[in-house]
Amino acid sequence: MIDRMTLQRWLYRLLFVGLAGLIIFVRLVPLDIGGGRFPGPDVLLCLTFAWAMRRSDYVPVLLVAAVFLTADMLFQRPPGLWPALVLVGLESLRARAAVSRDLPFAIEWAMVAGVLAMMMLADRMVLALFFVDQVSFGLSILRLIVTIAAYPAIVFLSATLFGVRKITAAEADAMRQLA
Amino acid sequence: MAKERGNSEDYVRPIRRILVGFLVLLLLGTFLLWRIDSPRVERFRAALVDKVVPSFDWALVPVTKIAGMVEDFQSYARIYEQNQELRRELQQMKAWKEAALQLEQENAKLLDLNNVRLDARLSYVTGVVLADSGSPFRQSVLLNIGARDGVLDGWAAMDGVGLVGRISGVGDQTSRVILVTDSNSRIPVLIQPSGQSVLLVGDNSSAPPVEFLENPDLVRPGDRVVTSGDGGVFPAGLLVGHVAQGSDRRLRVRLAADYERLEFLRLLRSHGAEAITDPGAMVVTNPLPPVAAAPATPVEEASE
């Protein structure tokens, strides 16, 4: 029989895919055609990182890679590069998730902001190295700032709406024994 | 804590790390493949979009419509002012309509006098906008017509008034239009009264700038911008917009197409211009028989 924890884990993974689909769908709806708009936050990325910092077992690598590769394909971006960077960022955050469990939120936020900034820089550097056309640096910075600013809101929403909260040390022990 | 981490994860962690590394390499490989063999990957992408987005169709259309209704509803709030405004505009339009009718008649007469034959093959097929690019840095829309409707890469897309973009990427049921505002869009255009050829360069802003302008003094804000037809991709003479000076003192083009309401797009079937290779055939279409060459000799004699 499936125990409660495994069932919950898979339900949350399913929820992640559902939310990713919803975010992609909303971005595809043809409402904001035409240039010169303020770039919105990368909600999908915020969501992934927020969940990774809280319950890293809800966002397995394969799932994240698949979701971001699909998004790349649908959003007309160079496929593969951004998902690879997301995975690297995700893993570096995951490694620090246990450490940040007892730290205040501001430090987690700063950590995520640092990782996001590094990802953006790496993305721009690789694209420049391969002579791919890219947007102006100012727009990228703007998007980075908006994304970082949106992170606490998404953390709050995923905690209140979906109950994705940090696990306590006791829960962590229980999970480790099960696993 | 450090102790607990020891036992079960000792062998899990390296395996996990290898898996993640492998996955990252695979993704970077995809990126390299795209960089090396872009057309193949782009075809795959078009096929994928072709499969995925039309299945969203049932949801995309109502959501778009509802958002449009909300926007319209906001404008109902000031319906009286709008009504007044529209009446004023209608008055002006009537004057213009009169002028246009007169010009049309005059034009018809002149064309008749000149025996001009317009290109009858300039027909079009109309599609509905399904989705946009989804990224704030790429300006493109997806239409619900594709290869099965005969759409080809490179066709011009217009709304009722002005140029919107060109087809780039055709799936079986969908096709993608790169808007002229996209940073990858370069379109040869003509600034009308002065007749200067320039390049319209998209830069993700709503009013793309012009480049390679030879003599900026001849161009004034308000000048008409039309496609020049250079390069043989677009038909010549499609209205693009009007010149305006941006806040950064660059000359930009205010687009004639209404980007706020891209709903139906019209794709112009363009048939590649026939290339003339034989110089003789260009000058004389049906060469005169040898007998007719005889009158040439008296001329030679006269010159002697």
Side-chain angles (χ1 to χ4, degrees), chain A residues 35-135:
Chain A
R37 310 240 170 179
F38 198 73
D42 195 339
V43 180
L44 188 55
L45 193 59
C46 280
L47 187 77
T48 313
F49 281 1
W51 286 30
M53 293 303 279
R54 273 153 195 75
R55 300 296 300 262
S56 59
D57 51 331
Y58 291 168
V59 278
V61 240
L62 268 175
L63 192 65
V64 172
V67 162
F68 275 87
L69 194 62
T70 316
D72 259 6
M73 281 296 183
L74 292 180
F75 292 163
Q76 309 293 306
R77 284 193 299 230
L81 176 61
W82 188 242
L85 289 172
V86 169
L87 280 197
V88 173
L90 184 71
E91 284 308 297
S92 65
L93 282 180
R94 200 193 293 267
R96 285 163 188 76
V99 181
S100 84
R101 195 174 291 147
D102 309 321
L103 294 176
F105 176 72
I107 294 179
E108 178 200 328
W109 193 11
M111 235 151 68
V112 171
V115 168
L116 285 173
M118 292 311 288
M119 280 166 62
M120 190 209 79
L121 277 181
D123 185 51
R124 288 194 68 92
M125 265 159 64
V126 174
L127 285 182
L129 203 65
F130 283 90
F131 296 102
V132 182
D133 277 342
Q134 45 185 340
V135 292

Side-chain angles (χ1 to χ4, degrees), chain B residues 121-139:
Chain B
R121 292 186 299 178
L122 209 63
S123 61
Y124 56 81
V125 49
T126 302
V128 178
V129 173
L130 275 186
D132 70 359
S133 69
S135 155
F137 307 134
R138 315 233 162 227
Q139 310 295 329

Side-chain angles (χ1 to χ4, degrees), chain B residues 98-161:
Chain B
E98 205 54 44
L101 280 176
Q102 285 174 11
L103 284 175
E104 188 188 353
Q105 284 171 7
E106 191 184 339
N107 198 12
K109 268 185 229 157
L110 290 174
L111 285 178
D112 190 38
L113 284 175
N114 282 335
N115 202 6
V116 171
R117 185 169 301 171
L118 292 178
D119 192 354
R121 292 186 299 178
L122 209 63
S123 61
Y124 56 81
V125 49
T126 302
V128 178
V129 173
L130 275 186
D132 70 359
S133 69
S135 155
F137 307 134
R138 315 233 162 227
Q139 310 295 329
S140 68
V141 294
L142 200 71
L143 297 183
N144 69 339
I145 48 178
R148 63 167 181 193
D149 307 284
V151 176
L152 295 179
D153 266 332
W155 283 8
M158 307 189 61
D159 73 347
V161 187

Side-chain angles (χ1 to χ4, degrees), chain A residues 25 27-37 39 61-62 65 69 72-81 83-84 87-88 91 94 98 101 126-127 130-133 135 139 143 173 176, chain B residues 1 4-5 16 20 23-24 27-28 30-32 34-35 41 44-45 48-49 56 59-60 63-64 67 129-139 141 176 179 184 204-206 259-260 262:
Chain A
F25 171 77
R27 297 262 303 272
L28 280 178
V29 168
L31 290 178
D32 46 355
I33 304 172
R37 310 240 170 179
V61 240
L62 268 175
L69 194 62
D72 259 6
M73 281 296 183
L74 292 180
F75 292 163
Q76 309 293 306
R77 284 193 299 230
L81 176 61
L87 280 197
V88 173
E91 284 308 297
R94 200 193 293 267
R101 195 174 291 147
V126 174
L127 285 182
F130 283 90
F131 296 102
V132 182
D133 277 342
V135 292
L139 272 178
R143 185 164 168 80
D173 281 352
R176 194 159 292 124
Chain B
M1 194 122 195
E4 289 165 353
R5 195 179 276 173
R16 197 188 143 68
V20 171
L23 211 55
V24 168
L27 289 168
L28 289 179
T30 318
F31 173 67
L32 267 182
W34 171 78
R35 198 57 202 148
V41 178
F44 171 73
R45 191 207 292 269
L48 186 79
V49 170
F56 278 160
L60 273 171
V63 170
T64 314
V129 173
L130 275 186
D132 70 359
S133 69
S135 155
F137 307 134
R138 315 233 162 227
Q139 310 295 329
V141 294
R176 185 165 292 279
L179 306 181
N184 287 318
N204 269 318
S205 69
S206 56
Y259 272 65
E260 297 295 321
L262 289 186

Side-chain angles (χ1 to χ4, degrees), chain A residues 153-165:
Chain A
I154 286 166
V155 167
F156 178 73
L157 283 181
S158 62
T160 49
L161 289 184
F162 309 117
V164 180
R165 294 196 179 80

